[in-house]
Amino acid sequence: DSGVTQTPKHLITATGQRVTLRCSPRSGDLSVYWYQQSLDQGLQFLIQYYNGEERAKGNILERFSAQQFPDLHSELNLSSLELGDSALYFCASRGNYGYTFGSGTRLTVV
Amino acid sequence: AQSVTQLDSQVPVFEEAPVELRCNYSSSVSVYLFWYVQYPNQGLQLLLKYLSGSTLVKGINGFEAEFNKSQTSFHLRKPSVHISDTAEYFCAVSRTQGGKLIFGQGTELSVKP
């Protein structure tokens, strides 16, 4: 157990639908990062939050959004899903020691 | 901006042989360097990291890496690999001031008996 918790582990949904992925960072970590891993794009940074505020944006589509709540957990919302959104979505939290990743959510869009 | 290049997409090697996975980075500012391993159908696990100090960094599972600032490299090595080392290995960089991790494309290590 890395200390970073992601739910659900697997998600299968249809095109056009909306899903929410959840991440709880390691205790005491204020930063949360979201990444998308796909076969053709590799590990792509999507977005970073620090203590509830958005800090950096990467290659995140307009159909995707995220937020970090007062208890520091974060949610990644994916809407109007397309087949190409099928991927493994990771979150990571950062402390003085470095970055720790959760086990990921595997999203399959059918 | 920072970038990472992993020079080999696939590295096949026989069990008990040594292995080196190559990683070069580019950055105009000071960076931290990391190697992560991803076993099939699993998440990312930190192997080792370079933050400062000795340029030779030892990690888990017998892996080590050497930070070479002049060559902007951070190659990963293991003197004798096992079948269980078969996995995808990712080199990553971040600014020392914090921010996102930037990953290389990954190197698939395949250890054969």
Side-chain angles (χ1 to χ4, degrees):
Chain A
D1 182 12
S2 68
V4 176
T5 304
Q6 287 189 250
T7 56
K9 291 193 182 305
H10 302 277
L11 203 46
I12 302 175
T13 190
T15 54
Q17 295 298 305
R18 182 179 189 274
V19 297
T20 298
L21 313 184
R22 182 187 170 103
C23 170
S24 294
R26 272 178 59 135
S27 178
D29 287 352
L30 302 179
S31 281
V32 170
Y33 301 79
W34 284 98
Y35 287 83
Q36 180 193 58
Q37 185 180 31
S38 60
L39 283 174
D40 54 343
Q41 296 290 325
L43 272 159
Q44 296 289 314
F45 167 70
L46 294 178
I47 197 164
Q48 176 202 356
Y49 277 83
Y50 178 85
N51 203 19
E53 294 188 1
E54 181 185 303
R55 276 293 177 92
K57 260 187 173 178
N59 300 322
I60 188 166
L61 300 172
E62 285 192 12
R63 300 183 285 108
F64 296 0
S65 64
Q67 53 185 323
Q68 186 179 29
F69 295 86
D71 68 351
L72 300 178
H73 91 272
S74 178
E75 293 182 355
L76 180 67
N77 301 297
L78 315 176
S79 61
S80 303
L81 285 167
E82 302 175 359
L83 295 178
D85 298 326
S86 295
L88 198 50
Y89 292 84
F90 288 107
C91 82
S93 69
R94 183 177 187 270
N96 292 334
Y97 53 89
Y99 302 78
T100 301
F101 283 79
S103 57
T105 294
R106 183 170 293 280
L107 173 67
T108 302
V109 182
V110 297
Chain B
Q2 295 78 47
S3 66
V4 178
T5 302
Q6 291 184 241
L7 298 167
D8 306 291
S9 59
Q10 294 180 320
V11 173
V13 64
F14 287 107
E15 194 174 18
E16 297 184 9
V19 71
E20 178 180 77
L21 306 184
R22 298 179 295 166
C23 172
N24 286 349
Y25 70 94
S26 172
S27 178
S28 57
V29 298
S30 297
V31 295
Y32 295 144
L33 293 154
F34 306 82
W35 275 98
Y36 285 85
V37 60
Q38 185 177 30
Y39 298 103
N41 298 314
Q42 293 191 27
L44 293 162
Q45 181 182 5
L46 179 65
L47 270 180
L48 48 79
K49 60 190 175 191
Y50 172 78
L51 303 182
S52 65
S54 172
T55 56
L56 183 62
V57 180
K58 293 191 184 297
I60 62 171
N61 301 341
F63 283 93
E64 64 180 32
E66 186 154 18
F67 170 56
N68 188 319
K69 190 173 182 180
S70 62
Q71 296 187 5
T72 60
S73 67
F74 191 53
H75 300 334
L76 181 70
R77 301 185 183 100
K78 186 169 182 177
S80 175
V81 294
H82 304 289
I83 298 286
S84 59
D85 292 322
T86 294
E88 186 103 22
Y89 291 79
F90 292 93
C91 181
V93 64
S94 76
R95 297 178 313 158
T96 56
Q97 299 96 328
K100 61 184 182 286
L101 265 179
I102 297 169
F103 286 90
Q105 285 297 100
T107 296
E108 186 182 335
L109 175 64
S110 177
V111 182
K112 304 180 185 308

